[in-house]
Amino acid sequence: MSDILSISELNLAKKRVFIRCDFNVPMDEFLNITDDRRIRSAIPTIRYCLDNGCSVVLASHLGRPKSGFEEKFSLKGVAKRLSRLLDRDVIFANDVIGSDAQNKASALKSGEILMLENLRFEKGETKNDEILAGELAKFGEIYINDAFGVCHRAHASVEAITKFYDEHKAAGFLLQKEINFAQNLIKKPTRPFVAVVGGSKVSGKLQALHNLLPRVDKLVIGGGMAFTFLKSLGENIGNSLLEEELIDDAREILRKGKELGVKIYLPVDVVAAQNFSAESAVKYVTVQEIPSGWMGLDIGPASVRLFKEVLADAQTVWWNGPMGVFEMDKFSKGSIKMSHAIVETHATTVVGGGDTADVVERAGDADEMTFISTGGGASLELIEGKELPGIKPLRKAGE
């Protein structure tokens, strides 16, 4: 992966390094971190800087605070967890670019770590504000982006800040790993290459589907988006999720697949209910027999068996999007069984973050997947072939 500036190519010795991390971790109502994978993923880059005698300033966002400080979006808990994982103190600043952060940063010694408060408490972060970026740039002589999950957003700490660093900027180890996996998937997957795509909306995945079609051998479509495809084939889908305006697009994808010799698989049965609730009665019906007024909320057992067959000879699997409304146990079986089926293959398995990562975690399969992306939206855009605003400034000149 030669065209991205790598942290290992910089001379870091004794420098102060500003690392943009992605510590946007899920928390329960008591503000306990329920999954610290994103914090653990940042550790190799942080350790590498410490091994080089650097002092380190970490910055991240958490959630979507509306205006200024909100207790529930504070990174205090993240700093505590990181301190435990690293087994060393993490100094915490109570603001982002205010006096507390500035004083603690100027007192920082080599081998010490400072974490700034949630970047999004500053209005300018999501506006890609250059003044905020300039203030952040004062925290480090070197800028490292290791926050893959936000690389598809042009934010102050991701894009504008790079203008303040000439060659003293690079990608951290996690970011490089993410880009490598996505590029290898697109450029040289081991075949057969199967893409499994789910989630609720076709609209969010349309571009990715068009980009993947010429590259995959088989495509499995599940989740709410499958109903727009079934409708385009003339099935009666009852009250299931439908994107009316995309029926022609769905038909076009099926046609293009046929033309390219890509086998496309849709669910053959669903778990149907009259409404989405834990109390509602459910029945398993084939997709031809969804009663009017009912909706499909998960793939059924026959679809699970079919998809398992499809995956049997796969050598590369890319999975993005659950098979049903997995947040409710009643409708999570399809997604969980899909996760098991993917893990049981002998393939290189790549999971595109977000909801899909949650499913894999819930299914207990996380350790057996080859790679789980830390960014749902960003990994989708890489597969779509887009140039991400956070990655572009890290490309080497002339490439």
Side-chain angles (χ1 to χ4, degrees), residues 15 59 63 102 202 364 379:
K15 300 259 197 329
Q102 286 173 8
V202 183
S379 86

Side-chain angles (χ1 to χ4, degrees), residues 100-119:
D100 194 51
Q102 286 173 8
N103 295 338
K104 285 174 177 165
S106 57
L108 211 57
K109 297 186 202 49
S110 125
E112 291 187 329
I113 305 168
L114 170 69
M115 188 184 295
L116 304 178
E117 188 48 286
N118 188 342
L119 288 165

Side-chain angles (χ1 to χ4, degrees), residues 137-208:
K138 292 177 186 165
F139 285 122
E141 303 157 83
I142 302 233
Y143 171 77
I144 300 295
N145 184 345
D146 214 20
F148 178 68
V150 285
C151 278
H152 59 311
R153 308 201 184 284
H155 286 176
S157 64
V158 178
E159 207 257 352
I161 192 170
T162 58
K163 296 171 187 159
F164 296 88
Y165 293 90
D166 35 14
E167 65 278 11
H168 300 300
K169 59 186 174 197
F173 296 120
L174 173 64
L175 186 56
Q176 290 170 56
K177 201 168 158 187
E178 292 272 5
I179 299 167
N180 281 339
F181 264 99
Q183 287 193 334
N184 290 338
L185 263 190
I186 288 295
K187 293 202 176 101
K188 41 174 194 290
T190 318
R191 303 193 170 279
F193 176 17
V194 183
V196 178
V197 183
S200 53
K201 296 258 199 297
V202 183
S203 45
K205 309 261 161 89
L206 201 58
Q207 202 39 59

Side-chain angles (χ1 to χ4, degrees), residues 198-203 222-231 237-244 247 290 294-297 324-325:
S200 53
K201 296 258 199 297
V202 183
S203 45
M225 63 186 283
F227 295 108
T228 301
F229 285 88
L230 290 166
K231 183 79 176 175
I237 58 169
N239 278 357
S240 305
L241 194 67
L242 171 68
E243 289 177 280
E244 192 84 54
I247 290 177
I290 300 172
W294 289 59
M295 52 180 146
L297 292 165
V325 199

Side-chain angles (χ1 to χ4, degrees), residues 16-213:
R16 167 147 344 129
V17 184
F18 180 89
I19 310 178
R20 172 55 157 108
C21 300
D22 181 5
F23 293 145
N24 188 21
V25 290
M27 296 187 173
D28 63 17
E29 64 267 40
F30 308 109
L31 304 187
N32 297 312
I33 296 168
T34 52
D35 176 9
D36 64 5
R37 195 175 59 246
R38 284 182 164 178
I39 304 175
R40 289 194 315 253
S41 305
I43 288 177
T45 299
I46 297 170
R47 280 208 199 283
Y48 180 79
C49 293
L50 296 173
D51 290 345
N52 276 282
C54 304
S55 55
V56 177
V57 178
L58 304 174
S60 173
H61 73 287
L62 176 64
R64 298 189 172 172
K66 293 283 179 288
S67 54
F69 180 82
E70 281 179 71
E71 188 61 52
K72 67 172 180 199
F73 292 124
S74 171
L75 283 172
K76 225 175 240 145
V78 172
K80 273 205 193 89
R81 176 69 57 98
L82 179 64
S83 163
R84 201 158 78 224
L85 291 167
L86 282 171
D87 196 22
R88 61 198 303 160
D89 277 345
V90 174
I91 304 162
F92 188 70
N94 297 310
D95 49 26
V96 182
I97 50 171
S99 54
D100 194 51
Q102 286 173 8
N103 295 338
K104 285 174 177 165
S106 57
L108 211 57
K109 297 186 202 49
S110 125
E112 291 187 329
I113 305 168
L114 170 69
M115 188 184 295
L116 304 178
E117 188 48 286
N118 188 342
L119 288 165
R120 289 192 185 168
F121 289 162
E122 291 289 336
K123 273 227 172 1
E125 165 67 359
T126 52
K127 297 193 171 66
N128 205 17
D129 179 62
E130 289 208 9
I131 297 168
L132 173 62
E135 289 299 311
L136 291 171
K138 292 177 186 165
F139 285 122
E141 303 157 83
I142 302 233
Y143 171 77
I144 300 295
N145 184 345
D146 214 20
F148 178 68
V150 285
C151 278
H152 59 311
R153 308 201 184 284
H155 286 176
S157 64
V158 178
E159 207 257 352
I161 192 170
T162 58
K163 296 171 187 159
F164 296 88
Y165 293 90
D166 35 14
E167 65 278 11
H168 300 300
K169 59 186 174 197
F173 296 120
L174 173 64
L175 186 56
Q176 290 170 56
K177 201 168 158 187
E178 292 272 5
I179 299 167
N180 281 339
F181 264 99
Q183 287 193 334
N184 290 338
L185 263 190
I186 288 295
K187 293 202 176 101
K188 41 174 194 290
T190 318
R191 303 193 170 279
F193 176 17
V194 183
V196 178
V197 183
S200 53
K201 296 258 199 297
V202 183
S203 45
K205 309 261 161 89
L206 201 58
Q207 202 39 59
L209 288 173
H210 278 298
N211 203 27
L212 279 169
L213 266 184

Side-chain angles (χ1 to χ4, degrees), residues 301-315:
S303 302
V304 171
R305 270 206 300 281
L306 167 69
F307 294 167
K308 220 171 164 163
E309 287 292 314
V310 173
L311 288 162
D313 65 343
Q315 291 300 310

